[in-house]
Amino acid sequence: MDKIIVHGGAALNGSVRISGSKNSALPILAATLLTKEPCVISRVPDLSDIHYMLTILSELGCEVERASGIVTVKAEKVLTEAPYDIVRKMRASVCILGPLLGREKEATVSLPGGCVIGDRPIDLHLRGFEALGAAVRVQGGNVKVLAPELKGATINLRGKFGSTVLGTDNVMMAAVLAEGTTVIDGAAEEPEVEDLANFLIKMGARIEGAGTRRIIIEGVKELHGAEHEVIPDRIEAGTFLVAAAIAGKEVTLKRVDPAHLQAVIEPLAHAGYEISNGKDYVTLKANGSHKSLTLETLPYPGFPTDMQAQMCALLAMTNGVSAITENVFPQRFMHVAELKRMGANIELQGATAVITGVDRLSGAPVMASDLRASAALVLAGLKADGMTEINRVYHIDRGYESIDDKLNGLGAQIERVKI
Ligand code: EPZ
């Protein structure tokens, strides 16, 4: 297990290339199960979550090749049960259910446990599969879905906390080979859902409305191989925008889609950071004083839950009283206790973090917990006095491609220590 040591106080300047999206690549790699023909996916980030997905595909019988950011998958013959010991490590593996159900009419996956950001149910996924005609059996910690045939249906995927991203992906991947028309109401509108739909359409699927809350799918008999480049990772980009706000002078993010970043750019601009963009870059200048903010996380196009922890780190060092309400994963505050160990003044009131800014945080040994909480601690360390030591760095490596190298390329002073 590595640890990361951040020496605070270095200013960030320059430009950084953003990687392909983890949360787009994962369902797209699962979607390659829908055809016997080879698929070529490019701009796949080098992350442990991606490695887990490729291992699952191999264990299911797929031929998998990876050459730097390009992954080729050929699912000529596939098993329909994913190995427990890998699935339990990554909730996103649940998104192999939809393509296996679509292609083989059955699939078995271990039920994703909870994790530090809260309960991770899949009731909406299963509701969608049942609507398409599948029987769902939960036994021994596994969920098995099977259907003699899949028929199109009208399905509402809106739950108590809004829609479901992977649930929308899963139902879409089962419906593309169902007989007839499927309408998904209350669909997740995230760009990653739209990116998956664009890949499925290249494979021969007939899908309209992806990226909106109503997706219409006309089932087809079979799908063929396709090539696809994954969209930029808007959460990695948002994380680097917040890093620039915390420790920057001037930082430019390259190979991004600014349209996917509006929910993060707007509050930062409102707080007084100078932000400009072109077709595929965004620049943030951290000059002058900045205002506190009141935010709430919402499904896309609202402020992303995956950026909540990073924003807490920024607001902990912003004058005034800020507040962030977490509507998607109300327990997603593992980072708060660690930020308080660094001197942050944060009070949790239910699902709202009330943050009173302090001038400086002080470096301390802190514990990484979930992917985004860990990134938030690295960001806090950029401007804290002294050294911040972040243990269990494997959490960060799940979702950020060489975050330490990228930040050091901007002028940060970060060491990775093998222990
Ligand atoms: C995706 O998870 C992302 N992961 C998460 O990013 C992200 O936080 C989340 O969407 C919300 O944007 C991937 O795309 C791999 P949901 P997902 O189903 O699809 C509830 C990261 O840091 N719900 O949209 O699993 C659920 O409990 C990760 O990169 C049900 O109630 O999330 C949550 O409160 C973390 N029943 C809300 O909906 C269900 O059947 C949104 O969950 C499914 C979800």
Side-chain angles (χ1 to χ4, degrees):
M1 269 200 295
D2 296 355
K3 67 179 174 184
I4 271 185
I5 296 173
V6 184
H7 298 275
L12 301 187
N13 271 301
S15 64
V16 59
R17 279 162 60 100
I18 295 301
S19 301
S21 164
K22 163 179 86 85
N23 290 351
S24 191
L26 288 169
I28 284 174
L29 289 167
T32 63
L33 289 164
L34 283 162
T35 177
K36 298 179 188 313
E37 297 181 10
C39 293
V40 182
I41 315 300
S42 54
R43 204 172 173 185
V44 177
D46 182 13
L47 304 169
S48 48
D49 271 13
I50 297 293
H51 173 70
Y52 288 142
M53 179 57 79
L54 297 182
T55 305
I56 290 169
L57 294 177
S58 302
E59 301 266 325
L60 289 173
C62 300
E63 284 173 45
V64 177
E65 278 172 37
R66 173 175 196 138
S68 67
I70 298 175
V71 174
T72 304
V73 182
K74 188 175 176 189
E76 204 156 356
K77 285 193 182 56
V78 291
L79 301 173
T80 60
E81 179 159 354
Y84 167 75
D85 60 335
I86 299 176
V87 168
R88 70 180 172 79
K89 289 178 185 162
M90 182 179 67
R91 165 183 163 90
S93 20
V94 72
C95 68
I96 65 170
L97 278 173
L100 285 176
L101 181 63
R103 172 181 166 162
E104 298 295 326
K105 305 297 182 281
E106 72 168 87
T108 303
V109 169
S110 74
L111 272 170
C115 64
V116 290
I117 67 176
D119 188 15
R120 304 298 297 271
I122 60 167
D123 57 304
L124 298 172
H125 302 231
L126 302 180
R127 177 200 294 177
F129 295 147
E130 286 173 323
L132 294 171
V136 173
R137 287 200 204 110
V138 175
Q139 59 200 37
N142 286 332
V143 58
K144 181 176 184 120
V145 289
L146 65 166
E149 56 179 0
L150 292 173
K151 282 196 178 301
T154 295
I155 303 162
N156 189 313
L157 283 184
R158 182 159 291 283
K160 191 165 62 153
F161 300 97
S163 186
T164 163
V165 174
L166 290 179
T168 302
D169 294 345
N170 249 337
V171 172
M172 193 158 61
M173 290 190 280
V176 290
L177 292 176
E179 193 185 319
T181 305
T182 296
V183 177
I184 303 176
D185 282 320
E189 301 175 68
E190 274 70 2
E192 295 77 26
V193 173
E194 190 173 0
D195 200 29
L196 170 64
N198 290 336
F199 173 55
L200 292 168
I201 290 166
K202 287 179 184 175
M203 296 172 80
R206 294 171 59 191
I207 303 171
E208 286 177 16
T212 73
R213 65 186 64 180
R214 185 175 168 86
I215 301 177
I216 300 172
I217 300 152
E218 294 296 337
V220 294
K221 281 269 179 276
E222 64 178 6
L223 297 180
H224 50 74
E227 300 194 1
H228 187 76
E229 178 174 299
V230 166
I231 56 173
D233 193 314
R234 63 189 168 95
I235 305 300
E236 184 194 24
T239 303
F240 275 86
L241 276 181
V242 172
I246 288 174
K249 286 196 175 150
E250 182 172 339
V251 172
T252 293
L253 312 183
K254 291 187 167 176
R255 299 188 70 199
V256 295
D257 183 340
H260 295 163
L261 285 166
Q262 286 314 305
V264 177
I265 288 172
E266 276 155 21
L268 290 172
H270 181 71
Y273 296 93
E274 198 183 315
I275 302 177
S276 58
N277 71 273
K279 183 171 164 301
D280 62 354
Y281 73 86
V282 176
T283 299
L284 183 141
K285 286 183 190 166
N287 45 21
S289 63
H290 305 104
K291 291 189 293 192
S292 57
L293 291 169
T294 297
L295 289 169
E296 62 171 337
T297 69
L298 287 167
Y300 194 91
F303 183 78
T305 174
D306 292 350
M307 283 299 305
Q308 182 255 110
Q310 300 91 313
M311 197 55 99
C312 280
L314 170 63
L315 296 174
M317 294 178 271
T318 303
N319 287 339
V321 180
S322 299
I324 301 187
T325 299
E326 176 53 73
N327 293 311
V328 181
F329 292 108
Q331 299 165 41
R332 192 177 197 171
F333 288 112
M334 292 296 285
H335 45 286
V336 168
E338 298 305 306
L339 288 170
K340 288 170 81 167
R341 296 189 64 248
M342 297 174 71
N345 180 348
I346 305 176
E347 187 194 342
L348 285 180
Q349 295 172 2
T352 298
V354 179
I355 306 165
T356 305
V358 296
D359 288 343
R360 307 289 291 183
L361 292 179
S362 53
V366 289
M367 193 64 77
S369 53
D370 89 83
L371 165 58
R372 308 303 174 183
S374 316
L377 297 174
V378 173
L379 267 51
L382 292 173
K383 197 173 173 190
D385 286 334
M387 214 165 69
T388 300
E389 189 176 290
I390 296 135
N391 292 288
R392 295 186 187 169
V393 164
Y394 57 85
H395 287 292
I396 300 181
D397 295 336
R398 290 190 49 188
Y400 289 94
E401 200 174 32
S402 317
I403 192 170
D404 41 340
D405 293 342
K406 288 182 176 177
L407 285 169
N408 284 341
L410 291 170
Q413 290 173 358
I414 301 176
E415 300 166 66
R416 180 182 284 256
V417 178
K418 291 209 173 302
I419 46 178

